[in-house]
Amino acid sequence: MKIAIDAGHGPETPGKRTPDDSMREFHFNSVVARYVRDELKQYDGVETLFTHADDGSRDVPLQERTDKANAWRADAFVSIHANAFGNDWNDANGIETFVYTSRPPAAVKLAEAVQRALVLATGRKNRGVKAENFHVLRETNMTAILAECGFMTNREEAELLKSDTYRRACARAIVTGLAEVYGLKRAIAAGTLPQKVTIEINGVQLSAQGYLQNGVSLLPVRAVAEAVGVVPAWNPAAKQVSVNGLALNGTIESGTAYASARELASALGLKVEWDGATKTVKLSKSCICR
């Protein structure tokens, strides 16, 4: 997955600043772009490219930006901006995300995910997904969006845009949207591989294994349920698995649904014990079906 990250404008671009010149738009855009890049490093199979000059040495022309992304054959292009309404302080506020005027379905899907995540992360007004004939949306050969993360001409939002906490929140939200749409999976750092958990039912060890996550044993739902003669149900729309009509608060890893040992045992009417010495979850019932 190749993602081009575009910090709009440059530090000397005329007009792209707060009315009191206490912040240039590039100062916000470039920092968020770096945070987006750093967040994306935590995902498997993701490459990133800056289309702007990260050091702020020049305002890279728009054609050069899109040519660079196109030549690299990026899968997605995300342009990061801070908004403005006029040149003086005013009440315009909120978050909005743009796609090209033809509203390509893939771009709309990504824009909606990023917009939703940005509004949730910042608590700012939702101005929605809009369409405009912006060069970076028109001349890119890949799915492209442009996110406006708040108004430099609004005193309250200008202070937020200067805040490192707000910048990091915007970056995480953009990555959340990307991960949602493209199914990005976090990489597991060396030395932090999940610890395997052995599963026993009535003293019989299953070939399937669970794993420990933050001190909680997570077990493969289908393997455990079918071992006691229960067929789990899968709701593809909600991406949720149920056992005996009870929806489980599980997770999906490599196509396998996992749930906590206690929640799964309760749904199956099983007793559960934990053997810390052998890292074994022991489930018990009157019989085991094979």
Side-chain angles (χ1 to χ4, degrees), residues 56-104:
S57 57
R58 66 191 182 102
D59 185 355
V60 179
L62 295 177
Q63 191 65 55
E64 185 178 334
R65 294 174 187 244
T66 53
D67 284 351
K68 187 176 182 180
N70 290 338
W72 190 55
R73 296 188 178 183
D75 298 297
F77 182 100
V78 180
S79 192
I80 300 165
H81 290 256
N83 219 334
F85 181 70
N87 298 314
D88 298 318
W89 298 113
N90 55 70
D91 293 332
N93 68 95
I95 307 285
E96 54 193 15
T97 305
F98 289 89
V99 298
Y100 183 52
T101 52
S102 62
R103 300 185 71 88

Side-chain angles (χ1 to χ4, degrees), residues 17-23 87 89 152 155 158-159 162:
R17 59 199 68 189
T18 58
D20 60 2
D21 199 18
S22 61
M23 186 196 77
N87 298 314
W89 298 113
M152 294 182 293
R155 290 186 185 275
E159 291 306 309
K162 297 175 191 176

